[in-house]
C-alpha cells in the first residue's frame, strides 16, 4: 500500500497533459483486455488485404517483397563477404548451425538448448515461468524472486535467427528457411495476440517488428515460405504487432529508449506494408515521434541523455535504421536529424578505444536493434562506419576503424570498399562532450574516460549510475581502472542497487552516503538528482590534458562537502594524476576507490606506493599523505555484459577526520616497457 500511494503521489506531480495521456493509455489498455481477442478473430485474409489496399490476399506477398528495404537482403555473394570481412562466412555458418538446433547463449544463460517447441514464457536461468494471460495482468518484475524476464524477452526478439538468414543468403540452402519458418510458427502459436509475457512490454513488440521485417525480406522467395497459411499467419501477426505498438506507446513526460523503440517499430511497420491508412499513419507517426525525440534525448554534442554507453549504441541504432529505411523508399531525412546522428557517431568514435573496447558505463543489457555483425559485444566502432556510409561523410570515414561486417550487411561491399580506401591515419585527439558531461583524454596508447554529467534520463536516474567524477583509464595500452558495469536488473534488486551505487564506482564517497540518493529499494530506475555536476576546467594539448570538476551530491550533509577532482594525463610519459580536494568543514569519513580491471594485480611496496601488474606491464602507483590515508585492497566485482560477473580487486584509500586533499599518480615503470 505504501508503494502504491508513493506511485500515486509521484504521478500527481506530473504536468496535467502527461496525467491525461497516462489516463488515456490506461483506459485503452484495459479496453484491449476485451478487444484483443475480437481483433485477432477479425483479422482474416480478406480483412488484411482490404486494409493494405490489395484486391486479394494472394497478391499481397509479392507486393511486399518488391518494396525496398534498407539493408542487404538479396544478391549476397560469399566471395564479396570473405574479401571485405575475412572469416565472417565461417562465423555466420557456425552461428546458423546453432540456430538450426535452437541453441543460444545470451544474458548469462551460457550455452542453452531451447528445445522444440520452445517454452517462450520461461526464464531458463531460474526455471521461473510466466503463465499466459492478458499482458497487462502479468507481473513480470517479481522482485521477491530471482527470475529475470529479460531472458524470455531476449529469446522472443528472435535476433538469434538472423545468422540463419545470412547463411541462407550466402548458400541458398532451404534448411535455414525451414528453421526460421518453424520457429516463427511456434512463436505465433505460443504467444497469442496480447496474451503472454512477451506482449507485456511494448518495446519488445516493437523490436520484433524490426526482426520480422528483415526475416521477410530474406526468406520471402524461399520454398519453405510458400505455404499460404504460413504467409497469412506471419503477415497477420506482424500487422498486429504494429497495431499493438501504436495503441500501447510507452509515453511519458520524459521518454527514453523504450519510446524510441516503439517509434522505430512503427516506422518499420509503416514502410514495410507501404499502402493503406494504417501503414501510412504508422510511418508518419513513428517518424514524427523520432524527429521530436532525437533532440530531446540526444544532446547537441551527440551524447544520449540516458548516461549509458551501451544504451547510446542501442539508441543510435534505433534512430539510425528508420532514417536509412526512409531513404531506401525515397523519403527525406532532414539535415538537423542527420546532423544529430553524425554527432552521436563522433561520440562513439571518441569513447571507443583502439582495440575496440568501450567503457561499460551506466546500464548495459546487451541490447541491439538489428545485430548484423560478429564483432565483440562491446565493440561499437561499426556505428561510425554506418554513419559514414549512410551520409557519405568523409569526416566519419577518416576516423572509422574496426570490422566491416555491419556495414556489409547494411550497405553492401561497395560501401566497405569506400570505407577501406581512406589514406593515412587520422590524428587521435582528446575531446570534450560538455552537454552530455563526458570527457575523453586520449592518444595512441592512452584512453581516459571521465564522467562529469547529469544523472540519466533528464535527472530521473534511468540507466545512469552514481558515477559523477568517476573514470576509466587505459595507460600505455593497458586497461587498469574500470567501471564495474551493471550486471542485472530485476533478477536481483540487491545487486541492481549495488552496481549502480557510489560504492561500485571510481568516485569519492563521503560518510558512506550515495552521491544521488536512492528513492526506494525497489525503484530500480530512479534516483534523486543530488550530484549536480560542475565542470571547472578542461584543456587538451599535445603534451597533456587537464580536467577539473565537482558535484553537489554531498551538499545534503549536515556539514556540506563538495568533492573537486582534477585529472591530468601526460601524453609523453603515459602517466595519470588524480587529485581530490574537498570544499567544506567538519570531520568526515572519506574513501577514494579505484576498481581494477580483472586480471590486474596489486602489489604493495613501500608506504605510499604499490605496483600494478597486467599484461606483462608494470605500473607504479604513489599517493600523498600515506600516514593519514590508509590503503585497503578489497575484493570487487566487474560485469562486462548482462548477467555475467567476474571477480576483481579494488583499491580503497580511507581517511577519517578533517577534510584533506589526496593525490594519486599512476605511471608505467620504464624498465617494464
Amino acid at each position: 500500500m505504501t508503494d502504491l500511494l508513493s506511485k500515486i503521489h509521484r504521478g500527481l506531480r506530473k504536468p496535467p497533459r502527461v496525467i491525461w495521456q497516462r489516463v488515456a493509455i490506461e483506459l485503452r489498455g484495459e479496453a484491449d483486455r476485451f478487444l484483443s481477442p475480437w481483433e485477432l478473430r477479425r483479422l482474416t485474409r480478406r480483412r488484411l488485404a482490404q486494409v493494405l489496399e490489395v484486391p486479394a490476399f494472394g497478391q499481397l506477398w509479392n507486393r511486399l517483397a518488391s518494396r525496398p528495404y534498407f539493408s542487404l537482403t538479396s544478391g549476397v555473394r560469399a566471395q564479396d563477404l570473405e574479401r571485405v570481412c575475412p572469416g565472417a562466412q565461417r562465423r555466420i555458418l557456425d552461428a546458423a548451425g546453432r540456430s538450426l538446433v535452437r541453441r543460444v547463449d545470451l544474458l548469462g544463460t551460457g550455452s542453452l538448448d531451447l528445445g522444440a517447441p520452445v517454452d517462450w514464457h520461461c526464464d531458463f536461468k531460474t526455471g521461473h515461468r510466466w503463465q499466459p494471460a492478458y499482458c497487462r495482468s502479468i507481473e513480470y518484475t517479481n522482485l521477491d524472486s530471482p527470475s529475470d524476464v529479460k531472458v524470455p524477452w531476449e529469446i522472443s526478439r528472435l535476433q538469434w535467427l538472423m545468422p540463419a538468414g545470412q547463411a541462407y543468403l550466402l548458400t541458398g540452402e532451404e534448411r535455414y528457411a525451414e528453421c526460421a519458418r518453424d520457429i516463427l510458427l511456434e512463436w505465433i502459436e505460443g504467444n497469442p495476440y496480447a496474451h503472454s509475457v512477451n506482449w507485456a512490454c511494448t518495446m519488445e513488440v516493437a523490436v520484433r517488428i524490426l526482426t520480422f521485417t528483415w526475416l521477410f525480406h530474406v526468406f520471402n522467395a524461399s520454398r519453405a515460405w510458400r505455404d499460404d497459411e504460413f504467409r497469412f499467419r506471419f503477415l497477420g501477426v506482424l500487422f498486429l504487432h504494429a497495431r499493438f505498438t501504436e495503441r500501447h506507446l510507452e509515453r511519458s513526460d520524459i521518454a527514453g529508449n523504450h519510446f524510441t523503440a516503439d517509434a522505430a517499430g512503427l516506422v518499420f511497420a509503416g514502410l514495410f506494408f507501404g499502402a493503406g491508412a494504417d501503414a501510412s499513419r504508422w510511418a508518419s507517426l513513428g517518424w514524427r515521434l523520432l524527429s521530436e525525440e532525437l533532440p530531446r534525448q540526444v544532446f547537441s554534442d551527440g551524447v544520449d541523455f540516458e548516461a549509458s554507453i551501451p544504451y547510446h549504441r542501442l539508441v543510435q541504432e534505433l534512430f539510425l535504421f528508420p532514417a536509412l529505411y526512409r531513404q531506401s523508399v525515397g523519403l527525406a531525412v532532414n539535415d538537423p536529424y542527420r546532423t544529430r546522428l553524425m554527432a552521436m557517431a563522433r561520440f562513439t568514435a571518441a569513447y571507443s578505444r583502439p582495440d575496440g573496447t568501450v567503457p561499460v558505463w551506466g546500464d548495459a543489457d546487451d541490447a541491439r536493434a538489428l545485430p548484423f555483425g560478429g564483432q565483440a559485444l562491446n565493440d561499437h566502432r561499426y556505428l561510425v562506419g554506418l554513419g559514414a556510409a549512410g551520409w557519405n561523410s568523409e569526416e566519419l570515414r577518416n576516423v572509422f576503424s574496426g570490422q566491416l561486417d555491419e556495414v556489409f550487411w547494411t550497405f553492401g561491399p561497395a560501401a566497405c570498399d569506400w570505407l577501406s580506401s581512406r589514406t593515412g591515419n587520422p590524428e587521435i585527439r582528446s575531446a570534450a562532450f560538455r552537454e552530455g558531461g563526458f570527457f575523453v583524454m586520449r592518444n595512441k596508447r592512452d584512453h581516459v574516460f571521465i564522467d562529469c554529467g547529469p544523472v540519466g534520463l533528464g535527472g530521473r536516474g534511468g540507466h545512469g549510475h552514481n558515477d559523477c567524477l568517476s573514470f576509466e583509464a587505459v595507460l600505455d595500452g593497458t586497461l587498469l581502472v574500470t567501471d564495474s558495469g551493471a550486471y542485472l536488473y530485476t533478477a536481483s534488486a540487491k545487486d541492481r542497487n549495488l552496481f549502480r551505487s557510489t560504492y561500485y564506482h571510481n568516485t569519492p564517497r563521503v560518510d558512506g552516503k550515495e552521491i544521488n540518493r536512492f528513492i526506494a529499494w525497489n525503484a530500480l530506475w530512479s534516483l534523486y538528482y543530488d550530484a549536480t555536476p560542475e565542470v571547472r576546467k578542461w584543456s587538451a594539448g599535445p603534451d597533456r590534458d587537464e580536467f577539473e570538476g565537482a558535484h553537489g551530491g554531498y551538499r545534503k550533509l549536515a556539514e556540506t562537502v563538495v568533492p573537486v577532482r582534477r585529472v591530468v594525463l601526460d601524453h609523453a610519459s603515459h602517466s595519470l594524476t588524480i587529485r581530490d580536494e574537498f570544499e567544506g568543514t567538519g570531520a568526515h569519513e572519506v574513501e577514494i576507490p579505484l576498481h581494477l580491471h580483472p586480471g590486474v594485480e596489486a602489489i604493495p611496496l613501500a608506504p605510499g606506493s604499490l605496483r600494478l601488474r597486467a599484461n606483462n606491464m608494470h605500473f607504479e602507483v604513489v599517493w600523498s599523505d600515506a600516514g593519514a590515508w590508509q590503503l585497503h585492497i578489497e575484493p570487487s566485482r566487474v560485469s562486462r555484459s548482462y548477467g555475467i560477473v567476474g571477480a576483481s580487486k579494488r583499491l580503497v584509500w580511507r581517511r577519517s577526520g578533517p577534510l584533506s586533499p589526496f593525490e594519486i599518480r599512476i605511471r608505467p615503470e620504464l624498465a617494464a616497457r
Side-chain angles (χ1 to χ4, degrees):
M1 179 60 71
T2 302
D3 290 343
L4 177 61
L5 292 175
S6 176
K7 289 180 181 178
I8 293 173
H9 177 70
R10 292 200 302 271
L12 291 175
R13 294 170 59 186
K14 296 183 182 295
R17 174 184 59 84
V18 175
I19 294 174
W20 283 114
Q21 280 183 345
R22 188 64 189 174
V23 169
I25 290 170
E26 292 297 320
L27 291 174
R28 186 183 302 122
E30 285 306 307
D32 279 358
R33 183 185 300 274
F34 307 100
L35 293 175
S36 56
W38 172 79
E39 188 81 30
L40 182 59
R41 291 193 299 271
R42 184 170 177 250
L43 191 65
T44 62
R45 288 173 174 79
R46 181 178 179 182
R47 172 67 177 163
L48 191 59
Q50 182 182 20
V51 297
L52 295 175
E53 297 184 349
V54 292
F57 176 77
Q59 301 175 30
L60 179 59
W61 192 264
N62 289 338
R63 193 197 77 183
L64 296 177
S66 68
R67 288 186 57 76
Y69 198 65
F70 83 98
S71 72
L72 188 64
T73 56
S74 64
V76 180
R77 301 196 312 169
Q79 59 266 39
D80 288 337
L81 175 64
E82 196 62 23
R83 177 175 59 82
V84 298
C85 308
Q89 183 176 8
R90 182 71 266 160
R91 176 196 63 79
I92 288 169
L93 295 178
D94 288 346
R98 293 190 290 273
S99 297
L100 290 176
V101 298
R102 302 159 179 253
R103 183 172 300 133
V104 299
D105 185 350
L106 44 81
L107 305 182
T109 61
S111 183
L112 172 67
D113 292 324
L114 295 176
V118 177
D119 187 346
W120 302 103
H121 318 286
C122 182
D123 168 16
F124 288 90
K125 291 197 292 187
T126 65
H128 182 88
R129 192 173 188 275
W130 287 267
Q131 294 300 321
Y134 179 59
C135 55
R136 290 173 61 87
S137 297
I138 298 173
E139 175 52 58
Y140 55 78
T141 54
N142 296 332
L143 294 183
D144 58 345
S145 74
S147 63
D148 193 342
V149 73
K150 288 195 67 63
V151 174
W153 282 357
E154 190 71 21
I155 292 171
S156 283
R157 288 186 179 186
L158 295 173
Q159 293 173 347
W160 51 277
L161 279 178
M162 291 181 64
Q166 292 171 323
Y168 176 78
L169 293 174
L170 289 168
T171 68
E173 294 182 17
E174 281 291 316
R175 57 182 178 146
Y176 299 116
E178 293 167 0
C179 166
R181 177 202 62 201
D182 293 346
I183 289 171
L184 284 165
L185 284 172
E186 282 183 22
W187 192 93
I188 295 168
E189 187 69 28
N191 294 273
Y193 177 54
H195 281 73
S196 82
V197 72
N198 294 307
W199 294 90
C201 172
T202 307
M203 179 182 185
E204 298 306 312
V205 180
V207 171
R208 272 197 301 277
I209 292 174
L210 276 60
T211 311
F212 281 21
T213 58
W214 185 84
L215 290 173
F216 171 87
H217 279 284
V218 168
F219 290 120
N220 67 79
S222 67
R223 291 193 305 273
W225 285 44
R226 289 177 184 172
D227 179 73
D228 186 67
E229 177 64 18
F230 168 74
R231 289 181 171 186
F232 168 64
R233 297 188 74 183
F234 176 83
L235 293 180
V237 78
L238 179 50
F239 183 87
L240 290 173
H241 269 64
R243 180 155 288 184
F244 182 96
T245 300
E246 181 186 26
R247 292 181 62 81
H248 296 267
L249 285 169
E250 295 165 280
R251 290 185 182 272
S252 181
D253 56 327
I254 298 179
N257 67 87
H258 280 239
F259 191 57
T260 308
D262 299 348
L266 288 178
V267 171
F268 267 66
L271 297 181
F272 174 81
F273 287 114
D278 290 299
S280 177
R281 187 177 64 255
W282 294 334
S284 176
L285 173 61
W287 185 247
R288 176 172 63 81
L289 295 177
L290 288 175
S291 298
E292 291 171 352
E293 287 299 316
L294 181 55
R296 291 173 182 168
Q297 296 186 27
V298 179
F299 297 109
S300 63
D301 59 11
V303 178
D304 174 50
F305 82 145
E306 296 201 62
S308 158
I309 294 300
Y311 277 89
H312 178 91
R313 167 181 58 184
L314 173 64
V315 169
Q316 191 171 345
E317 291 183 350
L318 291 172
F319 281 117
L320 173 64
F321 291 161
L324 296 178
Y325 203 164
R326 279 178 62 87
Q327 286 189 161
S328 73
V329 300
L331 296 175
V333 177
N334 62 47
D335 287 340
Y337 197 101
R338 286 198 302 269
T339 298
R340 196 65 57 113
L341 281 175
M342 289 180 67
M344 295 188 81
R346 289 190 199 98
F347 179 51
T348 302
Y351 70 63
S352 296
R353 298 187 278 250
D355 65 354
T357 60
V358 302
V360 187
W361 211 262
D363 278 351
D365 70 350
D366 304 350
R368 296 285 309 278
L370 281 172
F372 293 119
Q375 67 281 342
L377 174 66
N378 292 321
D379 186 345
H380 300 186
R381 292 174 295 176
Y382 67 90
L383 290 167
V384 182
L386 292 177
W391 316 125
N392 196 31
S393 168
E394 289 287 345
E395 175 199 353
L396 295 179
R397 176 194 185 196
N398 287 334
V399 297
F400 169 72
S401 63
Q403 296 177 210
L404 289 162
D405 303 47
E406 302 272 353
V407 177
F408 179 91
W409 288 104
T410 305
F411 297 109
C416 297
D417 292 338
W418 176 72
L419 281 171
S420 300
S421 65
R422 71 181 187 277
T423 58
N425 293 315
E427 183 179 358
I428 299 176
R429 296 181 179 178
S430 300
F433 300 86
R434 290 179 176 272
E435 284 188 87
F438 292 115
F439 298 82
V440 182
M441 301 173 169
R442 60 180 182 157
N443 54 55
K444 291 182 179 179
R445 297 289 296 170
D446 306 316
H447 191 283
V448 181
F449 183 86
I450 306 167
D451 184 341
C452 190
V455 70
L457 203 67
R460 303 287 178 85
H463 291 295
H465 289 185
N466 278 349
D467 49 18
C468 192
L469 300 186
S470 187
F471 69 97
E472 279 199 357
V474 171
L475 296 179
D476 206 7
T478 303
L479 177 55
L480 296 174
V481 181
T482 185
D483 189 85
S484 297
Y487 186 30
L488 292 169
Y489 291 170
T490 60
S492 171
K494 177 182 178 181
D495 278 326
R496 165 69 178 154
N497 288 328
L498 277 173
F499 273 84
R500 65 187 186 129
S501 70
T502 310
Y503 181 83
Y504 267 55
H505 293 89
N506 302 311
T507 189
R509 189 168 72 149
V510 179
D511 294 338
K513 303 297 185 182
E514 295 292 342
I515 62 173
N516 297 293
R517 291 164 294 159
F518 290 176
I519 290 177
W521 72 271
N522 56 353
L524 301 185
W525 285 272
S526 298
L527 292 168
Y528 287 106
Y529 188 14
D530 300 321
T532 51
E534 177 190 354
V535 178
R536 297 188 176 183
K537 182 176 183 180
W538 166 258
S539 63
D543 299 321
R544 71 180 211 160
D545 300 336
E546 182 176 350
F547 161 86
E548 185 176 299
H551 70 70
Y554 294 120
R555 294 186 187 275
K556 58 182 174 280
L557 299 178
E559 293 182 288
T560 64
V561 176
V562 175
V564 181
R565 170 160 281 182
R566 181 170 175 258
V567 181
V568 177
L569 174 67
D570 184 280
H571 292 285
S573 65
H574 309 291
S575 67
L576 186 69
T577 302
I578 306 102
R579 181 175 179 84
D580 289 312
E581 298 182 356
F582 302 91
E583 298 173 351
T585 59
H588 299 271
E589 295 182 0
V590 179
E591 20 179 86
I592 312 290
L594 292 183
H595 291 82
L596 302 179
H597 183 64
V600 177
E601 184 181 2
I603 306 166
L605 301 175
S609 67
L610 61 82
R611 174 179 293 137
L612 299 180
R613 184 163 59 197
N615 299 331
N616 297 317
M617 295 286 290
H618 294 172
F619 296 83
E620 178 189 55
V621 181
V622 296
W623 58 93
S624 62
D625 202 0
W629 290 89
Q630 299 299 311
L631 170 65
H632 303 263
I633 302 177
E634 302 174 346
S636 68
R637 296 184 293 169
V638 172
S639 176
R640 307 303 293 179
S641 63
Y642 187 91
I644 298 175
V645 67
S648 188
K649 298 288 185 182
R650 73 179 202 140
L651 311 176
V652 188
W653 289 267
R654 294 188 174 95
R655 186 181 191 279
S656 296
L659 295 170
S660 175
F662 180 65
E663 184 171 294
I664 310 169
R665 185 177 64 182
I666 310 172
R667 65 180 181 185
E669 293 183 357
L670 296 179
R673 293 185 62 200

